[in-house]
Amino acid sequence: MKYKNRRILTVVSSEYLLFWAMGLTAGIYTGSGGILSAIFPDVNIILIIVFLFAVEILIAAGAVYRQGDTCPHFKTRLLIFVIIPFLILFFTGDMVAASYKSGEDSSIFLKIYDYEKRDNELTGNMTIEGRVSNHPRLNYGKLVFLLAADKVYISGPGVGRERFLKADDFINVKISGPEGLSISRDDYLSLNGVLKKTDSRDTGNNIKSGDIVFEADYKNAHKINCYSLSYKLFSLRSRVYECIKNAFYSYLKIENACIAEALILGNRNNVPDYITDSFKRCGLFHLFAISGLHLSFFLSLIFLIFKRTEKSIFLFWSVIIFLAVYNFLIGEKASTLRASVMAVFILLAGRAGREFSYRIILYITYIILIIYNPFFIYNTGFWMTFISMAALVFIYPVILGMAGNFPVQRGGRAGLFLMKTIFITISIQAALFPVLAYFFGEVPLAAVIANVFVLPAFYPFLFILMVSSLVIIIWPPLGGIILRAGNIFILYILKTAGFLGRFDYLIINFENFGKINFITYYLVFIAVLILIRKVLGRADTGKWEF
């Protein structure tokens, strides 16, 4: 009896970080409007989270009560480690998100737009100066990007003379007729145009209906110099980025160079639509996301270079510096930040000689990222990277348990690699199924086959890209020679993806995969997963020592 009660306490207490993450997430939703509009437009996610939280606690507490409450201090520990942190993080998330939303509402451009709307004498004409903070993208004949604006100049009859305002704010920009206009991330621009509010027909590229955008003609867009210290850092980033990018496009075919730019530099804007579609249709689109797989290759190179050093602290800080520089080079991407933070925790555990739980690290990483940027929770890529990682942590071990020693007994190392690839792909596809159906309206059935055939070629291609990228920074011609060795691999990958993407019967299309389907799938899936774990007798080994 006492053992069973302790086991119940272990189950509840081992998931304390999950409850913390739930509390923080619920607080952020309430602070940013109370409804998860990006995923469940009409469902109050807070009620779902609180309901599941309450059910979990009541089940655990009720079981202990029925068995005599022989586990000492259960209620006290439950209160201290689960309930109180949940409530604290709920209110913390609410305040953090509210402060972010307040910052958006106090945008200088929103104030200018409202002022112009009230004053009919203003022409609305204005000039802004600032840095392009993301990679520009063509959208229906307009160049769209986010500008980190420093200065605003307003002129017109209602002003009398030109007025200067210090901005320090972000604004979405649309430039019409961009033919012949070359604008890249980190360019410093002067733009003359007008502020407009978007409607439902003019959205996309992270621009929502009702957002304020700055529209200008390409003739009124000019690159200018900026001499601030912070901009010099961005200028250095731009030079490194362009050095690697130019080498890709100089030594590879254009379509191959586009893929290399996406894989190493994180910019998918130049990948042709037909390649993107074929990768989506056969279940290989995840290869474009820079995540743990990519970083593990980079970190392996660092370990290989510095493995003979006697000072582990030197290796540790080399990895930390690399992760910081690489994340700065490619920009703020949820998948890369998730992989980087998890890598740091694993390194810290290794330096301390401590065992670690991927589940615990996943929870902590989630909490850190949504504190860093609360509005990551409205980012589809953010959820896809965490769901994929959760599939590896929770689902993949269960599938391995069901398979037993089959992969080892049948085929040795080759069989083990094949079966692991199949099991990992099935795990991730099973976890992402409702996400793909809800957001993209289709789920590829060829994902397992595609990954089995493509990954053996993708790994060496990625390795070649990474080695050549590091060499390009030092000596571009040598890096270019190394790059050419990757042509045969990318040709094979493209041919395979194109072939498997042709078959419509390997794709399940959903015209309306609703919110109820989304929630029902995960509830049933989790129940089945728990049942399988129970049948296999494989309880989670992650424990929390009180």
Side-chain angles (χ1 to χ4, degrees), residues 25-60:
T25 305
I28 288 174
Y29 285 141
T30 58
S32 60
I35 293 183
L36 181 53
S37 58
I39 299 179
F40 304 114
D42 304 314
V43 177
N44 193 328
I45 194 67
I46 310 306
L47 294 179
I48 297 174
I49 292 176
V50 173
F51 173 75
L52 293 175
F53 173 75
V55 169
E56 180 77 20
I57 298 301
L58 288 173
I59 291 174

Short mmCIF file of all heavy atoms in Angstrom, two decimals, residues 25-60:
data_model
loop_
_atom_site.label_atom_id
_atom_site.label_comp_id
_atom_site.label_asym_id
_atom_site.label_seq_id
_atom_site.Cartn_x
_atom_site.Cartn_y
_atom_site.Cartn_z
N THR A 25 1.83 29.07 -19.58
CA THR A 25 1.16 29.18 -20.88
C THR A 25 -0.24 29.76 -20.72
O THR A 25 -0.65 30.65 -21.48
CB THR A 25 1.07 27.79 -21.54
OG1 THR A 25 2.37 27.23 -21.64
CG2 THR A 25 0.46 27.90 -22.94
N ALA A 26 -0.98 29.25 -19.71
CA ALA A 26 -2.33 29.77 -19.47
C ALA A 26 -2.29 31.26 -19.15
O ALA A 26 -3.13 32.04 -19.64
CB ALA A 26 -2.99 29.00 -18.32
N GLY A 27 -1.33 31.69 -18.35
CA GLY A 27 -1.20 33.11 -18.01
C GLY A 27 -0.90 33.96 -19.21
O GLY A 27 -1.43 35.07 -19.36
N ILE A 28 -0.06 33.45 -20.11
CA ILE A 28 0.28 34.21 -21.32
C ILE A 28 -0.95 34.36 -22.22
O ILE A 28 -1.18 35.42 -22.81
CB ILE A 28 1.44 33.53 -22.06
CG1 ILE A 28 2.74 33.74 -21.28
CG2 ILE A 28 1.59 34.08 -23.48
CD1 ILE A 28 3.92 32.99 -21.84
N TYR A 29 -1.75 33.31 -22.32
CA TYR A 29 -2.96 33.41 -23.13
C TYR A 29 -3.92 34.46 -22.57
O TYR A 29 -4.49 35.25 -23.33
CB TYR A 29 -3.66 32.06 -23.19
CG TYR A 29 -2.97 31.07 -24.09
CD1 TYR A 29 -2.88 29.73 -23.75
CD2 TYR A 29 -2.41 31.46 -25.30
CE1 TYR A 29 -2.23 28.82 -24.57
CE2 TYR A 29 -1.77 30.57 -26.12
CZ TYR A 29 -1.68 29.25 -25.75
OH TYR A 29 -1.06 28.36 -26.57
N THR A 30 -4.10 34.47 -21.26
CA THR A 30 -5.02 35.45 -20.68
C THR A 30 -4.45 36.85 -20.83
O THR A 30 -5.18 37.81 -21.10
CB THR A 30 -5.27 35.16 -19.20
OG1 THR A 30 -4.04 35.16 -18.48
CG2 THR A 30 -5.94 33.81 -19.03
N GLY A 31 -3.14 37.00 -20.66
CA GLY A 31 -2.52 38.32 -20.77
C GLY A 31 -2.53 38.87 -22.16
O GLY A 31 -2.52 40.08 -22.37
N SER A 32 -2.56 37.98 -23.17
CA SER A 32 -2.54 38.45 -24.55
C SER A 32 -3.91 38.46 -25.19
O SER A 32 -4.04 38.63 -26.40
CB SER A 32 -1.60 37.56 -25.38
OG SER A 32 -2.05 36.22 -25.35
N GLY A 33 -4.95 38.25 -24.40
CA GLY A 33 -6.31 38.34 -24.94
C GLY A 33 -7.23 37.24 -24.47
O GLY A 33 -8.44 37.34 -24.66
N GLY A 34 -6.67 36.18 -23.88
CA GLY A 34 -7.51 35.16 -23.28
C GLY A 34 -7.88 34.01 -24.18
O GLY A 34 -8.39 33.01 -23.73
N ILE A 35 -7.62 34.13 -25.49
CA ILE A 35 -8.02 33.06 -26.40
C ILE A 35 -6.88 32.75 -27.36
O ILE A 35 -6.22 33.65 -27.86
CB ILE A 35 -9.28 33.45 -27.21
CG1 ILE A 35 -10.46 33.56 -26.25
CG2 ILE A 35 -9.56 32.47 -28.31
CD1 ILE A 35 -11.76 33.87 -26.92
N LEU A 36 -6.63 31.48 -27.56
CA LEU A 36 -5.56 31.05 -28.47
C LEU A 36 -6.04 31.19 -29.91
O LEU A 36 -6.45 30.24 -30.55
CB LEU A 36 -5.20 29.59 -28.17
CG LEU A 36 -4.08 28.95 -29.00
CD1 LEU A 36 -2.84 29.80 -28.97
CD2 LEU A 36 -3.80 27.56 -28.54
N SER A 37 -5.95 32.41 -30.41
CA SER A 37 -6.53 32.70 -31.72
C SER A 37 -5.79 32.05 -32.87
O SER A 37 -6.36 31.84 -33.93
CB SER A 37 -6.58 34.22 -31.93
OG SER A 37 -5.28 34.78 -31.83
N ALA A 38 -4.50 31.73 -32.68
CA ALA A 38 -3.75 31.14 -33.79
C ALA A 38 -4.12 29.68 -34.02
O ALA A 38 -4.06 29.19 -35.13
CB ALA A 38 -2.26 31.25 -33.52
N ILE A 39 -4.56 28.96 -32.97
CA ILE A 39 -4.84 27.53 -33.11
C ILE A 39 -6.32 27.23 -32.88
O ILE A 39 -6.96 26.55 -33.65
CB ILE A 39 -3.97 26.72 -32.13
CG1 ILE A 39 -2.48 26.94 -32.45
CG2 ILE A 39 -4.29 25.23 -32.23
CD1 ILE A 39 -1.55 26.20 -31.52
N PHE A 40 -6.87 27.75 -31.77
CA PHE A 40 -8.27 27.53 -31.45
C PHE A 40 -8.99 28.87 -31.39
O PHE A 40 -9.12 29.46 -30.33
CB PHE A 40 -8.41 26.81 -30.10
CG PHE A 40 -7.67 25.52 -30.03
CD1 PHE A 40 -6.60 25.36 -29.18
CD2 PHE A 40 -8.05 24.45 -30.82
CE1 PHE A 40 -5.92 24.16 -29.12
CE2 PHE A 40 -7.38 23.25 -30.76
CZ PHE A 40 -6.31 23.10 -29.91
N PRO A 41 -9.43 29.42 -32.51
CA PRO A 41 -10.00 30.76 -32.52
C PRO A 41 -11.19 30.96 -31.59
O PRO A 41 -11.41 32.05 -31.11
CB PRO A 41 -10.41 30.94 -33.99
CG PRO A 41 -9.57 29.98 -34.74
CD PRO A 41 -9.39 28.82 -33.84
N ASP A 42 -11.95 29.89 -31.31
CA ASP A 42 -13.17 30.08 -30.54
C ASP A 42 -13.16 29.33 -29.21
O ASP A 42 -14.15 29.33 -28.49
CB ASP A 42 -14.38 29.59 -31.36
CG ASP A 42 -14.45 30.29 -32.70
OD1 ASP A 42 -14.30 31.52 -32.73
OD2 ASP A 42 -14.67 29.59 -33.69
N VAL A 43 -12.06 28.67 -28.86
CA VAL A 43 -12.01 27.84 -27.66
C VAL A 43 -11.14 28.50 -26.61
O VAL A 43 -10.01 28.87 -26.88
CB VAL A 43 -11.47 26.43 -27.99
CG1 VAL A 43 -11.35 25.60 -26.70
CG2 VAL A 43 -12.38 25.74 -28.97
N ASN A 44 -11.67 28.62 -25.41
CA ASN A 44 -10.89 29.19 -24.31
C ASN A 44 -9.96 28.12 -23.77
O ASN A 44 -10.37 27.24 -23.01
CB ASN A 44 -11.84 29.68 -23.20
CG ASN A 44 -11.11 30.56 -22.21
OD1 ASN A 44 -9.92 30.38 -21.96
ND2 ASN A 44 -11.80 31.52 -21.65
N ILE A 45 -8.70 28.20 -24.19
CA ILE A 45 -7.73 27.17 -23.82
C ILE A 45 -7.46 27.15 -22.31
O ILE A 45 -7.05 26.14 -21.75
CB ILE A 45 -6.41 27.40 -24.60
CG1 ILE A 45 -5.49 26.15 -24.52
CG2 ILE A 45 -5.66 28.60 -24.06
CD1 ILE A 45 -6.04 24.97 -25.24
N ILE A 46 -7.70 28.26 -21.65
CA ILE A 46 -7.44 28.32 -20.22
C ILE A 46 -8.31 27.31 -19.48
O ILE A 46 -7.85 26.61 -18.58
CB ILE A 46 -7.72 29.74 -19.67
CG1 ILE A 46 -7.01 30.79 -20.53
CG2 ILE A 46 -7.28 29.85 -18.22
CD1 ILE A 46 -5.55 30.54 -20.70
N LEU A 47 -9.58 27.22 -19.86
CA LEU A 47 -10.48 26.28 -19.19
C LEU A 47 -10.02 24.84 -19.38
O LEU A 47 -10.10 24.02 -18.45
CB LEU A 47 -11.91 26.45 -19.73
CG LEU A 47 -12.59 27.79 -19.42
CD1 LEU A 47 -13.97 27.83 -20.04
CD2 LEU A 47 -12.67 28.02 -17.91
N ILE A 48 -9.51 24.54 -20.56
CA ILE A 48 -9.02 23.18 -20.82
C ILE A 48 -7.82 22.87 -19.93
O ILE A 48 -7.74 21.81 -19.31
CB ILE A 48 -8.64 23.03 -22.31
CG1 ILE A 48 -9.87 23.23 -23.20
CG2 ILE A 48 -8.01 21.67 -22.57
CD1 ILE A 48 -9.56 23.22 -24.67
N ILE A 49 -6.87 23.82 -19.86
CA ILE A 49 -5.67 23.60 -19.06
C ILE A 49 -6.02 23.46 -17.59
O ILE A 49 -5.55 22.54 -16.90
CB ILE A 49 -4.66 24.74 -19.29
CG1 ILE A 49 -4.11 24.69 -20.72
CG2 ILE A 49 -3.52 24.66 -18.28
CD1 ILE A 49 -3.19 25.83 -21.08
N VAL A 50 -6.83 24.36 -17.07
CA VAL A 50 -7.21 24.31 -15.66
C VAL A 50 -7.98 23.03 -15.36
O VAL A 50 -7.78 22.39 -14.31
CB VAL A 50 -8.04 25.55 -15.28
CG1 VAL A 50 -8.60 25.41 -13.87
CG2 VAL A 50 -7.19 26.82 -15.38
N PHE A 51 -8.85 22.61 -16.28
CA PHE A 51 -9.63 21.39 -16.08
C PHE A 51 -8.72 20.17 -15.99
O PHE A 51 -8.83 19.35 -15.07
CB PHE A 51 -10.63 21.23 -17.22
CG PHE A 51 -11.36 19.91 -17.20
CD1 PHE A 51 -12.39 19.69 -16.29
CD2 PHE A 51 -11.03 18.90 -18.09
CE1 PHE A 51 -13.06 18.48 -16.26
CE2 PHE A 51 -11.69 17.69 -18.07
CZ PHE A 51 -12.71 17.48 -17.15
N LEU A 52 -7.78 20.05 -16.95
CA LEU A 52 -6.87 18.91 -16.93
C LEU A 52 -5.99 18.92 -15.67
O LEU A 52 -5.71 17.88 -15.08
CB LEU A 52 -5.98 18.94 -18.19
CG LEU A 52 -6.70 18.70 -19.51
CD1 LEU A 52 -5.73 18.87 -20.68
CD2 LEU A 52 -7.33 17.33 -19.55
N PHE A 53 -5.56 20.11 -15.29
CA PHE A 53 -4.74 20.26 -14.09
C PHE A 53 -5.52 19.80 -12.87
O PHE A 53 -5.02 19.03 -12.03
CB PHE A 53 -4.32 21.72 -13.95
CG PHE A 53 -3.62 22.04 -12.66
CD1 PHE A 53 -2.30 21.65 -12.46
CD2 PHE A 53 -4.26 22.74 -11.65
CE1 PHE A 53 -1.66 21.94 -11.28
CE2 PHE A 53 -3.62 23.03 -10.47
CZ PHE A 53 -2.31 22.64 -10.28
N ALA A 54 -6.76 20.24 -12.74
CA ALA A 54 -7.58 19.90 -11.58
C ALA A 54 -7.87 18.40 -11.54
O ALA A 54 -7.82 17.76 -10.48
CB ALA A 54 -8.88 20.69 -11.61
N VAL A 55 -8.17 17.81 -12.70
CA VAL A 55 -8.45 16.38 -12.76
C VAL A 55 -7.24 15.57 -12.32
O VAL A 55 -7.35 14.61 -11.53
CB VAL A 55 -8.87 15.97 -14.18
CG1 VAL A 55 -8.90 14.45 -14.33
CG2 VAL A 55 -10.24 16.55 -14.51
N GLU A 56 -6.06 15.96 -12.79
CA GLU A 56 -4.84 15.25 -12.42
C GLU A 56 -4.61 15.28 -10.91
O GLU A 56 -4.31 14.28 -10.28
CB GLU A 56 -3.64 15.88 -13.14
CG GLU A 56 -2.30 15.22 -12.84
CD GLU A 56 -2.14 13.91 -13.58
OE1 GLU A 56 -2.84 13.69 -14.57
OE2 GLU A 56 -1.30 13.10 -13.14
N ILE A 57 -4.77 16.46 -10.32
CA ILE A 57 -4.54 16.61 -8.89
C ILE A 57 -5.58 15.83 -8.09
O ILE A 57 -5.26 15.14 -7.11
CB ILE A 57 -4.57 18.10 -8.49
CG1 ILE A 57 -3.44 18.85 -9.20
CG2 ILE A 57 -4.44 18.26 -6.98
CD1 ILE A 57 -2.07 18.34 -8.91
N LEU A 58 -6.84 15.92 -8.50
CA LEU A 58 -7.91 15.24 -7.77
C LEU A 58 -7.74 13.72 -7.83
O LEU A 58 -7.96 13.02 -6.83
CB LEU A 58 -9.27 15.64 -8.34
CG LEU A 58 -9.73 17.07 -8.03
CD1 LEU A 58 -11.00 17.40 -8.77
CD2 LEU A 58 -9.93 17.26 -6.52
N ILE A 59 -7.36 13.21 -8.99
CA ILE A 59 -7.16 11.76 -9.12
C ILE A 59 -6.05 11.29 -8.20
O ILE A 59 -6.18 10.30 -7.47
CB ILE A 59 -6.85 11.39 -10.58
CG1 ILE A 59 -8.09 11.60 -11.45
CG2 ILE A 59 -6.36 9.95 -10.69
CD1 ILE A 59 -7.84 11.39 -12.93
N ALA A 60 -4.93 12.02 -8.24
CA ALA A 60 -3.79 11.63 -7.40
C ALA A 60 -4.12 11.75 -5.92
O ALA A 60 -3.86 10.85 -5.12
CB ALA A 60 -2.57 12.49 -7.74
#
